[in-house]
Amino acid sequence: MSIYHISLDGDVLKVGFGSTLTTGDEVVRDAATRLNQMIVSGELPGGSLIKINGRTSVLVSQVLADKLSTLYDAIALFDPKIGDKGLDRYVVTISKHPDYQVGDILDVVRPQRSTIKLVICGFANTGKTCFREGLKQALLQIPNAPESYVFSGCPDGDGSWFGETARRDADLANRLKAEYKAGFTPEFAKRKAQEVRGINTPIFVFDVGGKISNANRLIMKEATHAVILVKDETEIAPWQELCDELGLSVVAIVHSDYEGVEDVISQEMPILRGTVHRLKRGEDVSVRPMIRALAGVLVGLGKGGDRN
């Protein structure tokens, strides 16, 4: 089974990680092998410009740049955070072509498609970061799932890198988190809201800070759906009211039971309800039944399903 997927669609190289969780050295070897196969077979003919769209990493980006720069005069990467209504935007990162300068933004009319923008909300210390990371991995493990993208909508330093880093080096993860942590300023909220608005990935997941605030309202109103993560019943109503105020469809209400030993799914329709146990930093929670069930809900919505 391929670890890293690469295919050419017109002048766009579609890339992305497979369902196998593995180390960076294995990923780059797999990516290099696949690129070499495409070059030898003529699938990658070369030319003036190639655009790259999909999930990558720093390590893989080095392999892509090395291989593709020998075939193409310019390379541009899709940046989901600077999209706009009706447009996908690519940033030129390598260029030997007079028509393209490094840093140029290329606007591409995006195909019309529905986008599920899911916000994970709830008060502090419910495990939203762990839940988000587990959902990210669970989505990747579903065969033929729509493309997904996950990021943090709060300035607590828990970027999408945090979970994997914590599993391998907890001290390093916590040190980096402290360095990246920033204030929840109006400017931060406006920038995050703009990023959420521009992202057009079929399934997009993000979390927000643990307070009901104007900053979170600004960011959350760009979502379409919500998951409410709580520690007890009294925490549900305030977030439900906020989601109703913003017109968000709540697809799941989940109790975070840190001391629990198993998940419990008490209801599947029309809203997924139950508990998820032990959302602990550094642990792989993608196999938890509740998180897998939610991933299945999102894939169904992403393929045009209806929860009603």
Side-chain angles (χ1 to χ4, degrees), residues 81-124:
K81 295 184 179 182
I82 61 171
D84 202 352
K85 186 175 182 180
L87 294 175
D88 284 338
R89 285 182 165 154
Y90 292 78
V91 179
V92 176
T93 56
I94 293 176
S95 181
K96 297 171 286 187
H97 195 289
D99 292 343
Y100 304 105
Q101 300 298 316
V102 171
D104 282 353
I105 295 176
L106 309 179
D107 290 344
V108 178
V109 177
R110 68 170 61 131
Q112 294 300 311
R113 61 185 181 186
S114 60
T115 300
I116 305 303
K117 298 187 179 185
L118 179 87
V119 57
I120 301 171
C121 60
F123 291 115

Side-chain angles (χ1 to χ4, degrees), residues 118-120 126-139 149-164 192 204-208 227 229 279 281 285-286 291 294 298:
L118 179 87
V119 57
I120 301 171
T126 53
K128 293 189 296 295
T129 299
C130 297
F131 193 88
R132 183 198 72 209
E133 181 64 18
L135 186 57
K136 168 186 171 181
Q137 298 300 335
L139 286 167
Y149 182 69
V150 177
F151 81 10
S152 176
C154 49
D156 59 5
D158 287 351
S160 59
W161 52 270
F162 185 84
E164 183 176 353
K192 283 296 178 181
F204 169 48
V205 178
F206 65 100
D207 60 345
V208 289
V227 168
L229 190 63
L279 293 174
R281 296 178 187 276
V285 301
S286 66
I291 290 178
L294 178 58
L298 295 182

Side-chain angles (χ1 to χ4, degrees), residues 259-270:
E259 301 299 331
V261 295
E262 64 179 0
D263 289 10
V264 176
I265 298 176
S266 58
Q267 175 181 299
E268 295 185 359
M269 297 287 288

Side-chain angles (χ1 to χ4, degrees), residues 94 135 195 222 256:
I94 293 176
L135 186 57
E195 291 175 0
E222 302 298 338
S256 178

Side-chain angles (χ1 to χ4, degrees), residues 79-84 117 149 151-157 179-199 204 206-208 214-222:
D79 187 344
K81 295 184 179 182
I82 61 171
D84 202 352
K117 298 187 179 185
Y149 182 69
F151 81 10
S152 176
C154 49
D156 59 5
E179 292 174 1
Y180 296 159
K181 191 168 185 177
F184 213 144
T185 63
E187 291 74 20
F188 174 88
K190 290 177 183 177
R191 184 173 70 253
K192 283 296 178 181
Q194 182 179 7
E195 291 175 0
V196 174
R197 189 182 313 124
I199 290 172
F204 169 48
F206 65 100
D207 60 345
V208 289
N214 289 334
N216 274 339
R217 278 189 176 86
L218 186 66
I219 299 169
M220 287 176 61
K221 75 177 183 179
E222 302 298 338

Side-chain angles (χ1 to χ4, degrees), residues 31-50:
T33 297
R34 174 60 181 143
L35 285 168
N36 287 336
Q37 291 171 347
M38 296 176 73
I39 292 170
V40 171
S41 68
E43 289 181 75
L44 285 172
S48 60
L49 171 70
I50 189 167

